[in-house]
Amino acid sequence: MSETTSDGPRPVGPASPTATAGPVSPGPSPELAARAAALDAADPLADRRKAFVLDDTVYLDGNSLGALPAAVPGRLAEVVAREWGELRIRSWTESGWWTAPERVGDRVAPLVGAAPGQVVVGDSTSVNIFKALVAAVRITEGREAPANAPVRDEILVDAATFPTDGYIAASAARMTGRTVRPVPMAELADAVGPRTAVVLANHVDYRTGELHDLPGITAAAHRAGALAVWDLCHSAGALPVRLDEDGADLAVGCGYKYLNGGPGAPAFLYVRAEHQGAFDSPLPGWNSHAEPFAMAAAYAPAEGAVRGRVGTPDILSMLALETALEVWDGVDIEQVREKSLALTDFFLECVAESVPAGRVGSLTPAERERRGSQVALRCPGAERVMGELIRRGVVGDFRRPDVLRFGFTPLYTSFGDTLRAASVLAEVLAEVLAEHPAGG
Amino acid sequence: MSETTSDGPRPVGPASPTATAGPVSPGPSPELAARAAALDAADPLADRRKAFVLDDTVYLDGNSLGALPAAVPGRLAEVVAREWGELRIRSWTESGWWTAPERVGDRVAPLVGAAPGQVVVGDSTSVNIFKALVAAVRITEGREAPANAPVRDEILVDAATFPTDGYIAASAARMTGRTVRPVPMAELADAVGPRTAVVLANHVDYRTGELHDLPGITAAAHRAGALAVWDLCHSAGALPVRLDEDGADLAVGCGYKYLNGGPGAPAFLYVRAEHQGAFDSPLPGWNSHAEPFAMAAAYAPAEGAVRGRVGTPDILSMLALETALEVWDGVDIEQVREKSLALTDFFLECVAESVPAGRVGSLTPAERERRGSQVALRCPGAERVMGELIRRGVVGDFRRPDVLRFGFTPLYTSFGDTLRAASVLAEVLAEVLAEHPAGG
């Protein structure tokens, strides 16, 4: 565990398993309340909140499921009533359903620093990781290598990865005759070697919120002749991602977290232009065929990102995501990053001020350049604490064994929300610890 | 091409490439109109039509995209506004999102003759074919074989299969060290041998509408020690399917055709109970883990059909499908079959009466036991003919090079619709052939 401290004036401090009950929190100080009000008044993204359906809840779980964009219900009703209900089959051409995976992909592209034609939307993140890893292994197989070069028989995987990445990597390795080697992110750049085919890494750690060095690790992979596949689930829409500029080979990401596409929204797959010709999918469904309606017996892949498609795309969810992406129109992702850091700074500061020292420890790096858009706090009784927070209108989530996750979505989270979350957390911790002084 | 004739009093007859222009069709005979009215009046499923949003169009493309069930728009609006918009992340438990793939699977199960606990919904048909084929190969690998038995190194695939099945089979074969051998369905039962690992076959041919012998081919596969994987895309919801009774090992099917789940609705996967313990998925995403929220580094598969899950399920489309399945409440699939055959009989009879002999040929078997729920007609200029049909409110679809497909969905297609379709077809054929006597 990499315990870190906040950037605020007082350290959050490490969790103490022997913490004893303290007084009920007196609520936020007038100074913090004034700071929150001033920060909100100066927030250039404050008006984006109107683009979402929100209520009195402080919703800090947009890193798991983004809030509902206000335009989605109307658009989805139209898709159902008009495009499906009236036009029916004609909508595949007349309503642009057939080309939606590439069109929505091009809408995601600017958020991940990709020029058009390299992102396609569809299937789940897990399925896209499988496509990306197998295709990446095959690209390295297809390259000319020096006569005495060892076989590139290993896939390096972030040892702290979100589990599905590791499970799918193991399957991709098994099916391509490779092995998986888990490596801590901090050692990944040094671990890449002549036997490495592919590195699979998370841009932001789902648990700790740590932001990893995408350009540095990608460059290390390339120096060793390997490819880098990035999981952007916790960075796309949360902070600037520069896939083209930083040389990423392939990437996948989630449609339902910071992109607000709705529960189980389709994921996206980035295939760098220079790799598209060699992208050899393990899931060559008819939607990726060069001429799908020729119904040819032999497979011939289409050109471009469409090669990453598989079967018939899930239109209702795809078009919900397309509409959800409209909230990004005119938004500067650098401003989003600035606000995200200000929110997480402020949250850590408020927690440090409201929560007695030693009650919680932060897993999230204090250094801004190593922080994504969430704060992960450890405390005894975390599951119970999160249940109480949710009951009191502050929604984050719990991750075993003792982690409270708070995701900060700059498009709709205010500094006032942030202060309230910290204050309610302090209240709950005081009460829970009063009942169970040793935690639990 | 297996040209066949209708069961009606006059043969539809083979298409003639040298057909010459005939007179404009005079419209249906009073006798046929009276027959259609009488059949509709006696139809025990006639009231099901009210469960769908329909207009004046004669929609005969439910074999490609089912019509909109009337209950879906309201339910989807509720899912979006209440479950996503208000409850947000809490809906994974409180709204039953997490268990939807199995729950909706159990709703599909009776339509395919499966006892509960064997069907899971999610991902596209293509992705499910990949899971089923790789898992089936691994099941045969895991079995004890006699000392001198040859390696089961081939996957037999219906030679006329919908293309995606063949493409995915080729990938599954490549990734498991097998080869694919395409075999015409009529020869499949005899072709299965000691080297066969798996047979992948279509229950109903997507192009001709021919119904294949699921129990016979499955039994032949079993006699040879192989497994049978069935593609039910064109049979589930169209006619009785008896997976449990007929011994099918694995099966996949489509949510958006006869199940009316909406464009790109998730597909379903059937894993026979006796194979679930050995079902070793090539896509072991975190949703199929025994303890998904343990976030364990090592994969351990869940028990049961849930083992067929992969990543986060697509909730909007999944719940649209769940609601769409309500139209089956109280419906007897044997009645559906009886009406389906009556509709296709009647259509062929009307075509035979309205269309001058020699103008179209039927690809669909005349024998009821070999017919699914569609009629495929060949004629010169078929693409243009279908365009005109659609313009005149009769929606089927065109498949290259010269096939008109008409799908009959007994829950919402009437005999009056059927007669109108045949009459408009006769009109269009007369006009198109008048302009282009040699076809085109």
Side-chain angles (χ1 to χ4, degrees):
Chain A
M1 174 185 161
S2 58
E3 278 169 348
T4 56
T5 58
S6 83
D7 288 350
R10 284 194 270 164
V12 174
S16 163
T18 57
T20 53
V24 171
S25 164
S29 69
E31 291 75 15
L32 282 178
R35 285 266 309 289
L39 285 163
D40 280 327
D43 174 13
L45 294 173
D47 77 314
R48 287 286 81 191
R49 188 180 172 97
K50 293 198 301 283
F52 293 87
V53 175
L54 294 164
D55 51 25
D56 288 342
T57 303
V58 176
Y59 189 64
L60 300 180
D61 215 1
N63 53 326
S64 189
L65 175 67
L68 172 64
V72 167
R75 172 67 182 134
L76 205 55
E78 181 192 25
V79 168
V80 171
R82 166 81 182 146
E83 299 185 6
W84 176 12
E86 293 177 21
L87 296 177
R88 303 188 192 90
I89 197 71
R90 292 163 52 190
S91 277
W92 282 108
T93 47
E94 293 178 32
S95 303
W97 288 356
W98 185 263
T99 51
E102 302 89 78
R103 184 178 71 241
V104 183
D106 276 343
R107 192 116 203 187
V108 170
L111 292 173
V112 294
Q118 300 174 103
V119 179
V120 68
V121 170
D123 304 310
S124 67
T125 303
S126 299
V127 169
N128 281 298
I129 292 169
F130 187 74
K131 295 178 208 169
L133 282 180
V134 173
V137 166
R138 290 174 175 174
I139 290 168
T140 63
E141 258 177 358
R143 286 175 168 173
E144 286 201 29
N148 295 326
V151 175
R152 292 192 179 271
D153 60 359
E154 66 177 16
I155 299 174
L156 301 192
V157 177
D158 171 4
T161 188
F162 184 78
T164 217
D165 303 58
Y167 306 158
I168 294 288
S171 177
R174 173 184 177 186
M175 298 190 82
T176 57
R178 266 68 184 171
T179 54
V180 164
R181 182 154 65 99
V183 178
M185 285 298 291
E187 300 163 23
L188 202 49
D190 291 334
V192 190
R195 287 181 50 186
T196 308
V198 187
V199 173
L200 172 64
N202 294 274
H203 197 191
V204 172
D205 186 286
Y206 79 100
R207 203 171 71 99
T208 65
E210 180 168 357
L211 172 63
H212 294 297
D213 180 11
L214 188 151
I217 291 169
T218 301
H222 290 176
R223 280 193 302 274
L227 264 57
V229 176
W230 285 93
D231 180 334
L232 309 177
C233 284
H234 289 267
S235 63
L239 48 88
V241 182
R242 301 180 183 91
L243 294 175
D244 283 353
E245 183 181 331
D246 291 338
D249 298 292
L250 295 119
V252 300
C254 179
Y256 53 80
K257 296 178 189 290
Y258 295 94
L259 301 188
N260 312 300
F268 64 87
L269 172 68
Y270 164 85
V271 182
R272 193 176 189 79
E274 70 184 78
H275 293 313
Q276 290 176 353
F279 184 87
D280 181 3
S281 176
L283 294 169
W286 73 296
N287 273 233
S288 67
H289 196 282
E291 265 202 280
F293 290 96
M295 305 281 166
Y299 182 70
E303 293 304 313
V306 70
R307 204 174 269 208
R309 289 175 63 166
V310 186
T312 303
D314 191 329
I315 292 300
L316 301 184
S317 295
M318 177 89 63
L319 300 187
L321 172 59
E322 181 172 39
T323 301
L325 290 167
E326 290 172 7
V327 302
W328 295 96
D329 288 350
V331 170
D332 176 356
I333 192 76
E334 299 293 345
Q335 265 183 352
V336 170
R337 175 64 170 162
E338 198 45 51
K339 182 175 174 187
S340 159
L341 289 169
L343 286 167
T344 50
D345 277 350
F346 188 61
F347 182 67
L348 288 164
E349 182 181 342
C350 294
V351 169
E353 173 142 328
S354 317
V355 174
R359 291 285 159 79
V360 294
S362 174
L363 283 170
T364 303
E367 307 96 297
R368 287 182 141 215
E369 64 279 12
R370 291 180 54 219
R371 198 192 314 153
S373 197
Q374 77 177 47
V375 171
L377 301 177
R378 294 181 69 197
C379 75
E383 185 164 18
R384 166 115 194 272
V385 168
M386 185 51 72
E388 275 302 309
L389 282 170
I390 292 170
R391 219 170 55 76
R392 296 173 198 205
V394 174
V395 178
D397 61 26
F398 162 71
R399 286 291 177 261
R400 297 185 199 172
D402 59 359
V403 177
L404 305 171
R405 292 196 317 173
F406 301 96
F408 292 82
T409 45
L411 296 190
Y412 57 82
T413 301
S414 70
F415 293 90
D417 290 339
T418 302
L419 174 59
R420 191 172 137 214
S423 304
V424 175
L425 173 64
E427 265 172 42
V428 169
L429 284 171
E431 291 177 28
V432 167
L433 291 172
E435 293 170 33
H436 299 283
Chain B
M1 173 187 161
S2 60
E3 278 169 350
T4 59
T5 58
S6 82
D7 289 349
R10 283 195 269 164
V12 174
S16 162
T18 57
T20 52
V24 170
S25 164
S29 69
E31 291 75 15
L32 283 177
R35 285 267 309 289
L39 286 163
D40 279 329
D43 175 12
L45 294 172
D47 76 313
R48 287 287 82 190
R49 188 179 171 99
K50 293 199 301 283
F52 293 87
V53 175
L54 293 165
D55 51 26
D56 289 341
T57 304
V58 176
Y59 189 65
L60 300 180
D61 215 2
N63 54 326
S64 190
L65 175 66
L68 172 63
V72 166
R75 172 65 181 135
L76 205 56
E78 182 192 24
V79 168
V80 171
R82 167 81 181 144
E83 300 186 5
W84 175 13
E86 293 177 20
L87 296 177
R88 300 186 195 92
I89 197 72
R90 292 163 53 190
S91 278
W92 281 109
T93 48
E94 293 178 32
S95 304
W97 289 354
W98 184 264
T99 52
E102 301 89 80
R103 185 178 70 241
V104 183
D106 276 344
R107 192 116 203 187
V108 170
L111 293 172
V112 295
Q118 301 174 103
V119 178
V120 69
V121 170
D123 304 309
S124 67
T125 302
S126 298
V127 169
N128 281 298
I129 292 170
F130 187 74
K131 294 178 207 168
L133 282 180
V134 173
V137 166
R138 289 173 174 173
I139 290 169
T140 64
E141 257 176 0
R143 287 175 168 174
E144 286 201 29
N148 294 326
V151 175
R152 293 192 179 273
D153 60 359
E154 66 176 16
I155 298 174
L156 301 192
V157 177
D158 173 1
T161 188
F162 184 78
T164 216
D165 303 58
Y167 307 157
I168 294 288
S171 176
R174 172 183 177 187
M175 299 190 80
T176 57
R178 267 66 183 171
T179 55
V180 164
R181 181 154 67 97
V183 178
M185 285 299 290
E187 300 163 23
L188 202 48
D190 290 335
V192 190
R195 288 181 50 187
T196 308
V198 187
V199 173
L200 172 63
N202 294 274
H203 196 191
V204 171
D205 187 286
Y206 79 100
R207 204 172 69 98
T208 65
E210 181 168 358
L211 172 62
H212 293 298
D213 180 12
L214 187 151
I217 291 169
T218 301
H222 290 176
R223 279 194 301 274
L227 264 56
V229 176
W230 286 93
D231 180 334
L232 308 176
C233 284
H234 290 267
S235 62
L239 47 89
V241 181
R242 302 181 182 91
L243 293 176
D244 283 354
E245 183 182 332
D246 291 338
D249 298 293
L250 295 119
V252 300
C254 178
Y256 53 80
K257 297 179 189 286
Y258 295 95
L259 301 188
N260 312 301
F268 64 87
L269 171 69
Y270 164 86
V271 182
R272 192 176 190 79
E274 69 183 81
H275 294 312
Q276 289 175 355
F279 184 87
D280 181 4
S281 175
L283 295 169
W286 74 294
N287 273 235
S288 68
H289 196 281
E291 267 203 279
F293 290 94
M295 304 279 166
Y299 181 71
E303 294 303 314
V306 69
R307 203 174 270 209
R309 289 175 63 166
V310 186
T312 302
D314 191 330
I315 293 300
L316 302 185
S317 295
M318 177 89 64
L319 300 187
L321 172 60
E322 181 173 38
T323 301
L325 290 167
E326 291 172 6
V327 302
W328 296 96
D329 287 351
V331 169
D332 175 357
I333 191 77
E334 300 292 344
Q335 265 183 354
V336 169
R337 175 63 170 162
E338 196 46 51
K339 181 175 174 186
S340 160
L341 289 170
L343 286 166
T344 50
D345 278 348
F346 188 60
F347 183 66
L348 287 165
E349 181 182 340
C350 294
V351 169
E353 172 143 330
S354 316
V355 174
R359 289 288 159 78
V360 294
S362 174
L363 282 171
T364 303
E367 307 96 297
R368 287 182 141 213
E369 66 277 12
R370 290 180 54 219
R371 199 194 310 154
S373 199
Q374 77 177 47
V375 171
L377 301 177
R378 295 181 69 197
C379 74
E383 185 164 19
R384 167 117 193 270
V385 168
M386 184 51 72
E388 275 301 309
L389 283 171
I390 292 169
R391 220 171 51 77
R392 296 173 198 205
V394 174
V395 177
D397 61 24
F398 162 71
R399 284 293 176 262
R400 296 185 201 171
D402 60 357
V403 177
L404 306 171
R405 293 198 316 173
F406 300 96
F408 292 83
T409 46
L411 296 190
Y412 57 81
T413 301
S414 68
F415 293 89
D417 290 340
T418 302
L419 174 59
R420 191 173 136 213
S423 304
V424 175
L425 174 63
E427 266 173 41
V428 168
L429 284 171
E431 289 177 28
V432 167
L433 291 172
E435 292 170 34
H436 299 285

